[in-house]
Each structure stands twice: as C-alpha cells, then as structure tokens.
C-alpha cells in the first residue's frame, strides 16, 4: 500500500502503466489484509470435519460471486469494475465466512462434551 509504484516497476512495464496501476493496486489490496480471515474460516470447517461447507465457501466466492460480479461490474463501471469486483467479493466472503463460523460455534456449544 505504501510503495505500489516500486512493486509495479518490478514487472518491467512502462511508466504509464505503472501510473494507471497504482490506484488499482491499492484498491485490490484494501481487503487483502483481511484475506487471512477467509482462509482461517475454510480451515476451521475442514478441521471440524465439515469439508463440504469449506468447499461451498470456495465455490461461492469463485463461481457464484466472483465471475458474475466481474461481468456485471465491467458492464456498469468499465475497467474500474473489474478491479473493484475482487475487493467487493472478498469483503462479502469474509462476512459470510464469519457468519457461518459464528453459527457453527453456537451449534458446538449446544453439544455437551464430557470427558
């Protein structure tokens, strides 16, 4: 976020592309710092033996939300929509993952585990 021009210049592109890409780079990585939450949600469901929920989270993100949002946002907002779709979908998936995990924690509290 602090040095996007330096990072983009590592790809040996011309300065016009770097200037254009700085804003897109920042917008793409605004949600990236929270991406670990989504990965932890997927790992949580796999670790408790609910791999099907983890699979649904991944499919929901990639196929059901991301591809249609790319198509829709690109028609509405042009090239900007393509770049913003990733951040919007990731933010939605973080919220969905946290909601599913909260629901699962409540269900697990109901089950009494006796040693």
């Amino acid at each position: 976020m602090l040095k996007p021009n330096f990072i983009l210049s590592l790809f040996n592109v011309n300065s016009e592309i770097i200037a254009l890409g700085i804003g897109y780079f920042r917008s793409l990585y605004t949600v990236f710092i929270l991406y670990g939450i989504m990965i932890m949600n997927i790992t949580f469901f796999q670790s408790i033996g609910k791999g099907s929920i983890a699979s649904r989270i991944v499919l929901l993100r990639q196929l059901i939300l991301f591809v249609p949002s790319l198509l829709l946002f690109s028609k509405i907002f042009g090239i900007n929509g393509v770049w913003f779709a990733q951040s919007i979908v990731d933010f939605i998936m973080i919220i969905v993952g946290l909601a599913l995990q909260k629901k699962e924690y409540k269900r697990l509290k109901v089950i009494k585990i006796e040693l």
Side-chain angles (χ1 to χ4, degrees):
M1 291 296 281
L2 299 175
K3 299 281 186 181
N5 53 344
F6 170 73
I7 293 171
L8 291 172
S9 68
L10 295 174
F11 294 99
N12 290 329
V13 294
N14 66 34
S15 59
E16 295 163 356
I17 294 174
I18 291 172
L20 182 65
I22 289 173
Y24 296 136
F25 185 85
R26 285 191 173 131
S27 71
L28 185 65
Y29 286 100
T30 54
V31 182
F32 191 73
I33 196 164
L34 300 174
Y35 197 71
I37 295 170
M38 189 169 28
I39 300 300
M40 290 183 65
N41 282 324
I42 293 167
T43 305
F44 167 75
F45 286 109
Q46 289 173 338
S47 68
I48 64 169
K50 299 221 172 175
S52 63
I53 294 175
S55 297
R56 288 183 204 146
I57 290 172
V58 172
L59 289 174
L60 177 64
R61 179 181 177 268
Q62 292 298 99
L63 295 177
I64 298 171
L65 289 178
F66 187 59
V67 172
S69 68
L70 277 176
L71 297 172
L72 178 66
F73 292 164
S74 68
K75 290 209 184 285
I76 296 171
F77 303 110
I79 190 72
N80 291 332
V82 173
W83 287 96
F84 295 134
Q86 177 81 36
S87 297
I88 291 168
V89 168
D90 285 346
F91 184 74
I92 290 169
M93 288 312 303
I94 289 167
I95 300 300
V96 168
L98 288 173
L100 289 171
Q101 193 170 5
K102 183 178 179 180
K103 181 180 174 184
E104 191 63 30
Y105 277 136
K106 284 183 180 180
R107 191 190 73 74
L108 289 173
K109 279 186 177 180
V110 171
I111 301 171
K112 303 244 188 242
I113 302 173
E114 296 182 28
L115 300 175

